[in-house]
Amino acid sequence: MSNEAQPEEMGTKPVAEHEWLKNLLGEWRTEAVMTMPDGSTMTSRGSERVVSLGGLWAFTEGGGEVPGGQQMQYKTGLGYDVSFKEYRGFWIADQSSHLWKYIGTLSADGRTMTLDCEGPHMERDGETANYRDVIELIDEDTRTMTSYAQDENGGWSAFMKVTYTRV
């Protein structure tokens, strides 16, 4: 037996808030219904894979169609920041140079995560707008995410709803 001091473990340990992220893990089939500016809708299909990164992050790689029939790939990360006591995340895609930075809150019943962010205005070049993605857990094999844009009067309008079904 040695009397040498053992090195302390470094890094953040998962806390209770990280448990929610486990709901997102796995392989998913996606179906998105998008409302275009003219009011028409488009449906696209895709898939995503969500893995845990150290129990601290849900890290996603996914892809699917975008309007016009092109394919898009994206990556997301969502975790709970123990320093700031809030959920934080990001979304990036091969179709956009913008880094979407999320600040999230979890509902009291643990079924709904609301992620707020700022990004490029969808209809006015050079301007930004506020956006909100709301993830709702339906059951262990189904969840939805509804994306909203904030208008000039502070109201929120849904422009996309994605249904995720566990594969």
Side-chain angles (χ1 to χ4, degrees):
M1 232 6 173
S2 169
N3 285 338
E4 291 180 35
Q6 296 297 317
E8 288 188 39
E9 287 190 43
M10 301 279 300
T12 303
K13 300 292 181 226
V15 297
E17 288 81 359
H18 291 107
E19 285 295 308
W20 188 87
L21 302 172
K22 292 178 180 176
N23 293 299
L24 306 177
L25 304 180
E27 302 278 340
W28 301 87
R29 183 176 59 248
T30 65
E31 182 173 291
V33 178
M34 296 167 267
T35 303
M36 310 292 30
D38 67 3
S40 65
T41 60
M42 178 194 159
T43 301
S44 70
R45 290 169 182 74
S47 63
E48 68 175 38
R49 179 174 182 257
V50 186
V51 298
S52 176
L53 191 58
L56 300 172
W57 294 91
F59 185 74
T60 302
E61 292 188 63
E65 288 178 89
V66 294
Q70 295 178 324
Q71 291 294 310
M72 172 188 69
Q73 293 182 347
Y74 61 88
K75 296 181 190 255
T76 64
L78 180 60
Y80 181 77
D81 189 315
V82 299
S83 297
F84 291 92
K85 307 283 188 245
E86 64 190 7
Y87 287 92
R88 291 189 171 194
F90 70 89
W91 187 89
I92 55 174
D94 65 356
Q95 302 284 314
S96 171
S97 64
H98 185 72
L99 170 65
W100 297 82
K101 297 184 279 186
Y102 290 124
I103 300 294
T105 55
L106 185 60
S107 64
D109 67 2
R111 304 297 300 166
T112 305
M113 171 73 66
T114 300
L115 301 166
D116 289 316
C117 65
E118 182 179 359
H121 198 289
M122 287 188 280
E123 297 175 351
R124 295 197 294 262
D125 285 341
E127 293 186 32
T128 61
N130 292 322
Y131 296 94
R132 175 173 286 165
D133 287 342
V134 178
I135 300 168
E136 183 179 357
L137 303 176
I138 307 303
D139 58 44
E140 69 179 36
D141 295 325
T142 312
R143 63 184 156 95
T144 61
M145 182 185 74
T146 306
S147 296
Y148 299 86
Q150 190 174 40
D151 62 28
E152 291 78 20
N153 299 319
W156 293 94
S157 298
F159 63 89
M160 180 174 68
K161 183 170 187 173
V162 184
T163 300
Y164 300 80
T165 306
R166 192 178 300 278
V167 177

